[in-house]
Amino acid sequence: MEDIEDLLVGGGGGVPPGFRLPVTAAVGVKPRSKSRSTVFQDSLKSPSSAKIPGTQTIYLKTFGCSHNQSDSEYMAGQLSAFGYNLSDNQDEADLWLINTCTVKAPSQSAMETLITKCRDAQKPLVVAGCVPQGSRDLKELEGVSIVGVQQIDRVVEVVEETLKGYEVRLLTRKTLPALDLPKVRKNKFVEILPINVGCLGACTYCKTKHARGHLGSYTVDSLAGRVRAVVADGVKEIWLSSEDTGAYGRDIGANLPILLNALVAELPSDGSTMLRIGMTNPPYILEHLKEIAEVLRRPCVYSFLHVPVQSGSDAILSTMNREYTVGEFRKVVDTLIELVPGMQIATDIICGFPGETDEDFEETVNLIKEYKLPQVHISQFYPRPGTPAARMKKIPSNIVKRRSRELTTVFESFTPYVGMEGKIERIWITDIATDGSHLVGHTKGYIQVLVVGSASMLGTSAMVKITSVGRWSVFGEVLEILTTNVTSRVNQNQEISNCSNLNETCSKESETCACGLPSNCEHTDDVKTVPFTPNEKEPDKVRNQDLVGWLLRKRKNNSPLNNENEALESDEKPRLRDGVHEWVLVDKVLLFGILLSFFTIVSVMFYLGYRDVTHQF
């Protein structure tokens, strides 16, 4: 099926502003081919398709980078806003939505496996992301609906028509999706903010350029407005996402330092919300290194940057068409490490690129040994269809695997966090670790710190003492929790005040005060410390409480009076006795009912057992 362009109906007249045209009126659609499996066609007429539109359940699966994750969150937000239910359960879903990645062959293979599983389950399917955008004629995409990377704001229309049995393809568009679309974040404390799509490069191995296209940047004002909105929404980390952050703005007469300074000015003065700069290739930040270093020194910006080098050999970089040399990569790393205290840099390496000799690979190994970077993403070369590198002579797979293992062994021998024991660090806590026992926080250098604490600490900042270090993260003991003075936010509808208008003296004394607390502003009233009490409930211990206590807590937490009680001053709240809420009449009645039920059950069981014994005699 050919791509379907957006077709305006009636020349755009007669449609009220903001009115969403049905997709059958706005674009061309066609019923699924009769040559498809009869079983698959019948599934489209199953009871699920008879549900009221906008009430079905959608299974959403995401592959790939943070930009893809942001796209999925936007699609989930729109579907949820229109009434659809989102589920991680494939079986209960009425339709599957798969957001795909084309960077590496394994992720595309996983997508193809999932598509096959969806068809076997006889479910309607919509495929989004870079795979259909970059390989629209792929055999696996025959007969399924497609949403292009710049068409995510129309996902509801595509889902609606797919549930009706139509095949819809939306791939071509000349404008970027709006940043203020409804969004369901995977982590409510983390906003992934796309600052541009596409790139200016032409790497010989990259398929993403086929999908995301040429550079297209959002305006500085629109991005600053989005930051302002998400900060008011309680977000504590903002990740700038892009195929190449350093290239930002070159198509609209701006640049990355201009954007970063505008975004920093929108962040709270108490340092409660942090900014993380996304992946950037060396060519486009060389001319702005000092300005970027200045931003990275700001208290509200993580001192961390992902700068892919891909190879330590200039010859291979030339074959890759990376547009920089190893020397220029060194200049980026050396300058940032020199100018930014505690700077942490991550990089990428491709092992076994076509033409890579043993000498080329040795140069890569030596580069990694020299810098001992804490994060190195190592991958084997995967030829992507349609790219120049796919036509180059490949290195035998056994050599590629051997080189990958060798470099991985070198990298894993590093101990980047040794020496941190005993140090006091400020961290920002945003997630629960996969072990369920620790909370995940990050230092100013974006070093992962695992701490024990209650889930109520999520979204807070704390001072911790590093107690031990591991290969991939460190462990800390919480000393105190830093809390925001609520008086600095008079109204949620008002803009968050920065340091310049919150404390005039502080503004005049420090250039970095607009986003955080430098040394001469550390004692402002915006940040208060609360001693950490280690006897708070830990995430993995909540379920170990006794049944009666759990029921009483549930009754208390669900009570309509609970919120009112929380608003009382401490001297007006019911007194505590031995750490337990003092029992009132309702508590006693509830306990009496539980005990009465227990004894009734025991009595019935005793009676039935006694009757069976007497019948035997």
Side-chain angles (χ1 to χ4, degrees):
M1 178 180 177
E2 297 298 326
D3 298 339
I4 299 174
E5 306 288 345
D6 294 354
L7 303 176
L8 296 178
V9 177
V15 180
F19 181 78
R20 185 174 62 88
L21 287 172
V23 72
T24 49
V27 303
V29 296
K30 75 171 185 179
R32 298 182 188 274
S33 172
K34 294 295 183 180
S35 62
R36 300 294 302 167
S37 168
T38 303
V39 175
F40 186 68
Q41 286 294 316
D42 289 344
S43 70
L44 299 177
K45 300 176 182 179
S46 64
S48 65
S49 63
K51 292 182 179 179
I52 299 174
T55 63
Q56 292 91 336
T57 299
I58 310 298
Y59 166 72
L60 174 58
K61 174 66 177 178
T62 305
F63 294 96
C65 64
S66 60
H67 198 157
N68 258 24
Q69 181 61 48
S70 176
D71 286 351
S72 288
E73 292 177 355
Y74 273 124
M75 289 191 288
Q78 293 169 85
L79 291 167
S80 180
F82 272 88
Y84 289 99
N85 301 306
L86 302 173
S87 174
D88 293 328
N89 189 323
Q90 298 175 349
D91 296 332
E92 71 178 20
D94 299 305
L95 177 143
W96 291 15
L97 172 58
I98 305 175
N99 195 6
T100 61
C101 172
T102 190
V103 172
K104 298 179 183 179
S107 60
Q108 186 164 331
S109 297
M111 174 214 73
E112 293 169 358
T113 300
L114 196 58
I115 288 176
T116 301
K117 185 177 181 181
C118 180
R119 283 179 167 147
D120 291 342
Q122 304 174 17
K123 302 281 189 177
L125 174 65
V126 176
V127 178
C130 292
V131 170
Q133 190 75 58
S135 305
R136 57 193 67 182
D137 297 324
L138 198 66
K139 182 179 179 180
E140 286 76 11
L141 299 178
E142 293 179 1
V144 302
S145 292
I146 290 175
V147 180
V149 293
Q150 293 187 38
Q151 295 279 10
I152 60 173
D153 56 347
R154 304 187 66 183
V155 65
V156 173
E157 302 169 57
V158 177
V159 165
E160 286 178 349
E161 297 305 313
T162 302
L163 285 168
K164 294 176 184 177
Y166 291 102
E167 175 189 346
V168 184
R169 291 194 170 198
L170 298 179
L171 289 169
T172 304
R173 187 174 186 166
K174 297 180 180 179
T175 59
L176 299 175
L179 292 171
D180 59 354
L181 294 170
K183 195 171 190 179
V184 175
R185 300 184 188 93
K186 185 177 181 180
N187 183 330
K188 69 177 183 178
F189 298 111
V190 177
E191 166 73 7
I192 304 173
L193 179 61
I195 63 173
N196 58 262
V197 299
C199 68
L200 295 175
C203 300
T204 56
Y205 58 84
C206 183
K207 185 75 171 178
T208 305
K209 180 64 176 283
H210 295 196
R212 295 285 182 178
H214 198 67
L215 181 68
S217 302
Y218 286 96
T219 65
V220 173
D221 288 343
S222 65
L223 291 166
R226 180 63 181 175
V227 167
R228 193 181 310 121
V230 301
V231 168
D233 199 31
V235 163
K236 300 303 178 182
E237 276 189 11
I238 299 172
W239 301 355
L240 302 187
S241 178
S242 165
E243 280 67 56
D244 187 353
T245 302
Y248 169 80
R250 290 174 178 258
D251 57 321
I252 58 173
N255 59 46
L256 184 59
I258 291 175
L259 172 67
L260 294 178
N261 282 293
L263 300 187
V264 161
E266 299 295 340
L267 298 178
S269 62
D270 55 23
S272 58
T273 300
M274 295 294 288
L275 183 71
R276 193 185 83 174
I277 304 175
M279 184 274 290
T280 178
N281 290 311
Y284 304 112
I285 61 171
L286 282 168
E287 61 185 282
H288 300 301
L289 278 178
K290 290 186 178 180
E291 295 95 324
I292 291 175
E294 182 181 350
V295 173
L296 288 166
R297 288 197 300 266
R298 300 289 185 93
C300 57
V301 181
Y302 284 120
S303 305
F304 169 83
L305 198 61
H306 178 194
V307 186
V309 65
Q310 304 301 4
S311 175
S313 165
D314 282 338
I316 296 302
L317 291 178
S318 178
T319 306
M320 292 177 172
N321 197 28
R322 289 289 290 171
E323 300 180 346
Y324 60 86
T325 64
V326 176
E328 289 172 326
F329 170 79
R330 289 178 183 274
K331 181 180 179 180
V332 170
V333 176
D334 293 343
T335 302
L336 293 179
I337 290 176
E338 177 187 357
L339 297 180
V340 184
M343 184 69 195
Q344 299 285 308
I345 293 177
T347 195
D348 300 342
I349 296 291
I350 297 176
C351 290
F353 192 82
E356 183 184 66
T357 64
D358 289 339
E359 291 74 17
D360 294 325
F361 176 67
E362 190 64 27
E363 290 184 78
T364 300
V365 173
N366 291 336
L367 181 69
I368 298 303
K369 285 182 177 179
E370 177 184 351
Y371 283 99
K372 292 183 171 59
L373 299 177
Q375 296 183 40
V376 179
H377 310 123
I378 302 168
S379 62
Q380 301 172 27
F381 170 71
Y382 293 101
R384 306 303 297 130
T387 62
R391 299 190 296 270
M392 299 177 183
K393 185 178 179 180
K394 300 176 183 59
I395 295 176
S397 60
N398 62 317
I399 296 178
V400 176
K401 292 177 181 179
R402 175 177 57 79
R403 290 176 180 173
S404 177
R405 287 194 299 267
E406 180 181 340
L407 186 59
T408 300
T409 300
V410 169
F411 167 62
E412 291 182 347
S413 69
F414 302 157
T415 53
Y417 307 129
V418 169
M420 289 189 65
E421 296 95 332
K423 288 187 176 181
I424 307 297
E425 298 276 356
R426 181 179 181 179
I427 66 170
W428 288 262
I429 303 170
T430 57
D431 209 347
I432 298 176
T434 54
D435 63 4
S437 301
H438 294 86
L439 302 177
V440 179
H442 291 91
T443 67
K444 175 72 163 62
Y446 210 67
I447 298 172
Q448 181 174 271
V449 182
L450 302 180
V451 298
V452 174
S454 65
S456 63
M457 291 171 59
L458 290 171
T460 67
S461 181
M463 301 301 298
V464 302
K465 180 179 180 180
I466 305 302
T467 56
S468 62
V469 300
R471 175 58 187 86
W472 312 110
S473 57
V474 302
F475 295 84
E477 175 188 354
V478 177
L479 302 179
E480 59 185 7
I481 301 172
L482 305 178
T483 61
T484 304
N485 184 357
V486 295
T487 60
S488 66
R489 292 178 175 82
V490 180
N491 190 318
Q492 285 187 340
N493 294 326
Q494 296 178 352
E495 296 182 6
I496 303 299
S497 300
N498 60 25
C499 191
S500 60
N501 58 25
L502 185 66
N503 187 324
E504 292 181 0
T505 303
C506 183
S507 174
K508 295 176 182 178
E509 294 179 355
S510 173
E511 295 179 355
T512 63
C513 203
C515 72
L517 300 174
S519 58
N520 62 339
C521 300
E522 288 178 351
H523 301 291
T524 63
D525 293 333
D526 294 327
V527 177
K528 294 183 178 180
T529 60
V530 178
F532 174 68
T533 53
N535 61 344
E536 293 185 60
K537 301 286 190 304
E538 298 171 11
D540 62 338
K541 294 183 179 179
V542 175
R543 58 180 175 271
N544 295 333
Q545 306 303 315
D546 62 278
L547 176 63
V548 174
W550 179 83
L551 287 171
L552 292 176
R553 282 194 303 276
K554 291 292 287 185
R555 182 196 65 79
K556 177 177 178 291
N557 291 338
N558 293 330
S559 169
L561 299 178
N562 190 45
N563 292 334
E564 297 179 11
N565 290 337
E566 290 179 354
L568 296 176
E569 297 296 334
S570 58
D571 57 346
E572 295 178 354
K573 292 182 180 179
R575 295 183 179 180
L576 300 180
R577 183 173 59 200
D578 298 331
V580 180
H581 194 79
E582 186 170 358
W583 285 37
V584 294
L585 178 61
V586 175
D587 298 317
K588 296 176 182 179
V589 171
L590 178 60
L591 180 59
F592 175 77
I594 293 173
L595 293 176
L596 179 61
S597 300
F598 174 76
F599 286 119
T600 301
I601 294 172
V602 171
S603 300
V604 171
M605 293 178 64
F606 178 79
Y607 170 75
L608 294 176
Y610 175 78
R611 188 181 64 178
D612 291 341
V613 171
T614 55
H615 284 174
Q616 291 178 0
F617 294 96

